[in-house]
Amino acid sequence: MATVDELLAAETTESDDELSFLIDEHLRIITVPERGVVLGVEGDKDVNRVRFRMNRYYHGSDLSSFQIRINYQNADGEANYFTVSEKTADTDTFSFVWVVDADAVMTKGTVLFVVNCFTADSSGVVQKAYHTTLGAASVLEGLEVDVEGNQPQIVDFLSKLKNELTVHAGTVLQQMDAYAKSAESSKTAASNYADDAGKSASSAARSASAAAGSASSAAGSASSASSSAVAAGGSATAAKTSESNAATSATAAGNSATAAQSSATAAKTSETNAGSSAAKAATSATAASNSATAASSAATKAGDSATVAKTSETNAAISETNAKTSEANAKKYADEVRTVAEGYKGWFETETALAAAVPNGVKGDWAIVGSTNGIWLWDGSANAWVESVPRIDLSNYPTHGEITELLKNYLPNRAATAAELGGIKVGKGLTVDEDGTLRADAQEYSLPAATLDALGGIRIGSGTEDLTAGVSELEDGAIYLVYE
């Protein structure tokens, strides 16, 4: 992985016509050149190029394969983004270029920007995303005289639409090509499966024919054995007759014996031939059984091949349907972009100027009005131009200060009653600090004198030895100590 010093060394090889920023992929910081950054001057358009360089891999993800956007906010606070199309990847690092749009440098001041790398599926749902922190660059003051003819935000908007459409169309074409290749592969696989099924059927037919031939040969061998056995029986009968006649004629007996011996030999040969034929018949029967098994297996494989061929045919149909759907979506998106581009009527200073220039619009027509800094649409039902986002007039609403005065006037400190708490007033002997603390003031207090009906304060009288109840003069409420 390249270090920051290595990235700085590589930076010197770039063209002097480009600004170069370095990105620390871990700290997410965009490092600007030491001499400072001037992104452009008011009125510039697509002439300023900013090259970003950073390490290619981040925690196993190849950032050079991500889609990249530069999100920026100009000095007026208006936000937009630029889709990167120019990328260069090396072994460990990669770089990409931001071509600065006119709306980014339309007002002098500071432009804020971040780098956003992301991946998305075919439905546009973001799967992975990587962001940097804020970077800043300056826009210098310029001087333009043809204000009305200068519409950088509209031109950039249409350019972005064209760029987005190009990217989307490329993605759709890639998907359609993939679907077409998948369909062709499925078709080829189906054809191969069909050929295999035909070959398996032919092999099964040949095996069945061989089995039939083997069975026929076995039947012939069995018939020959039976004929030989009959001949052997006849020869034995003849030998018996010759033996009976031998007693009558010795010559005839000798001849008959010779004939009997020949017949016996022939019978033995026939018996041997019959055994051989039986063995061949058994071998043929085994071969016929094996052929039948092979024919059954071939038939099973032929059925499997037909099933796979049917599945491939279904997959090919699904691929074709997906390709048609993608084509329809691409056409719909292109039609929408074409409608937006063709419906644009221009930039006008006021609503009156717009209505005078285009008194009768059609559905889909739109324009920008400078006095409201908003987009206006043609309303066919009202037959008039209307602002796409109506503004709310708050001039008749009271301000915060006015609301405060109203509350003071209409919500005074009410007096408390027996049924209602009301406002709280500070009475005598109490004070309130600035922080709202309630305090009681210190006051002198004298004990009340005791009477016959009230206890009052308690006083301690002087002690005496000659205190007599009912005789001595006592002070009301006083306590006396009697001691000896």
Side-chain angles (χ1 to χ4, degrees), residues 33 50 99 102 135 172 193 291 474:
V50 179
V99 180
V172 171
Y193 288 138
S291 297
L474 302 177

Side-chain angles (χ1 to χ4, degrees), residues 231-287:
S235 296
T237 301
K240 192 69 174 175
T241 302
S242 297
E243 185 179 0
S244 298
N245 294 332
T248 304
S249 177
T251 302
N255 292 336
S256 296
T258 300
Q261 184 64 36
S262 299
S263 297
T265 300
K268 187 65 175 177
T269 301
S270 296
E271 183 180 1
T272 301
N273 291 337
S276 177
S277 296
K280 290 181 178 180
T283 301
S284 297
T286 301

Side-chain angles (χ1 to χ4, degrees), residues 41 56 68 71 74 79 137 195 235 283 296 314 321 323 331 342 347 382 389 397 401 418 451 454 474:
V41 177
R56 180 173 176 178
I68 302 177
N71 300 334
N74 64 19
D195 291 342
S235 296
T283 301
S296 176
T314 302
T321 301
K331 183 177 182 303
E342 293 177 352
W347 181 94
V389 181
Y397 286 80
T451 66
L474 302 177

Side-chain angles (χ1 to χ4, degrees), residues 42-46 72 74 78 80 101-106 144-160 340-341 343-349 354 357 366-370 373-375:
E42 288 179 315
D44 285 358
K45 175 174 173 56
D46 296 341
Y72 58 87
N74 64 19
E78 298 176 351
N80 207 339
D101 294 327
D103 63 336
V105 294
M106 65 185 299
E144 291 186 278
V145 295
D146 189 8
V147 178
E148 183 175 357
N150 180 31
Q151 304 171 26
Q153 65 273 30
I154 301 305
V155 176
D156 288 342
F157 173 68
L158 295 178
S159 298
K160 276 188 174 56
V340 172
Y344 173 61
K345 298 305 178 184
W347 181 94
F348 299 90
E349 181 66 28
L354 169 60
W366 63 283
I368 290 183
V369 175
N373 194 26
I375 296 176

